[in-house]
Amino acid sequence: MGLADLKKRRRSDYGHLSEYRTRWSDNDMYSHMNNSVYYFLFDSLVNAYLISNCALDPPTSALIGLVVHSHCDYFSPVGFPALVDLGLRVEKLGKNSVTYEIGVFERGVEEVKAVGQFVHVFVDRETRRPRAEGMMLGMREGLGRLLVKGSEEVEGKRLAKL
């Protein structure tokens, strides 16, 4: 998927939306939200969803998610005092891993400001290794609700529906 496709993203492309009110401290010296804040938001959005919808309890869950890849494509700036809508969807759902996509939208503006992606690999808290049985059923079901329409997950493989 190229940048032109990502620039066409709309809020309706995401199965879960959350809002964030930017803070004065989010801005960098160029008066727009610093790149590190985008990653902070991505991590917060995903983990809030996992806690609320996937039975994840970070202090006690047997599985923990390790970020093994992340990136962000920036299209136009956001800055304080903007209200931001963050869209979350699942691009790929594997046995022990999930690829998320996050769209960043400024309230009142239809065009996407940035699109990020990161990959979690769920591992056993103690051994830090993926479990043979994969992630927990509640987690898989919760993540499956955000799986991109037109795709499905079967035994860790994404198949296009015809």
Side-chain angles (χ1 to χ4, degrees), residues 46-67:
V46 166
N47 281 293
Y49 184 84
L50 290 171
I51 291 165
S52 297
N53 298 282
C54 300
L56 180 71
D57 181 38
T60 63
S61 291
L63 290 181
I64 60 171
L66 301 179
V67 176

Side-chain angles (χ1 to χ4, degrees), residues 54-66 96 121-131 133-136 139:
C54 300
L56 180 71
D57 181 38
T60 63
S61 291
L63 290 181
I64 60 171
L66 301 179
N96 287 293
V121 173
F122 290 97
V123 299
D124 180 85
R125 174 183 296 281
E126 300 301 320
T127 66
R128 299 287 204 245
R129 307 293 296 162
R131 297 184 336 174
E133 63 272 22
M135 63 181 87
M136 301 172 291
M139 184 173 293

Side-chain angles (χ1 to χ4, degrees), residues 98-118:
V98 59
T99 302
Y100 309 97
E101 181 183 291
I102 301 99
V104 179
F105 300 88
E106 186 173 352
R107 185 70 54 90
V109 178
E110 185 56 29
E111 292 77 26
V112 69
K113 298 293 186 169
V115 176
Q117 183 186 74
F118 79 83

Side-chain angles (χ1 to χ4, degrees), residues 90-99 132-135 140 147 151-159:
V90 169
E91 290 287 315
K92 184 177 180 184
L93 184 56
K95 184 176 180 180
N96 287 293
S97 65
V98 59
T99 302
E133 63 272 22
M135 63 181 87
R140 176 169 298 290
L147 193 60
S151 297
E152 63 183 63
E153 181 272 332
V154 177
E155 297 182 357
K157 295 182 180 171
R158 187 170 140 197
L159 303 174

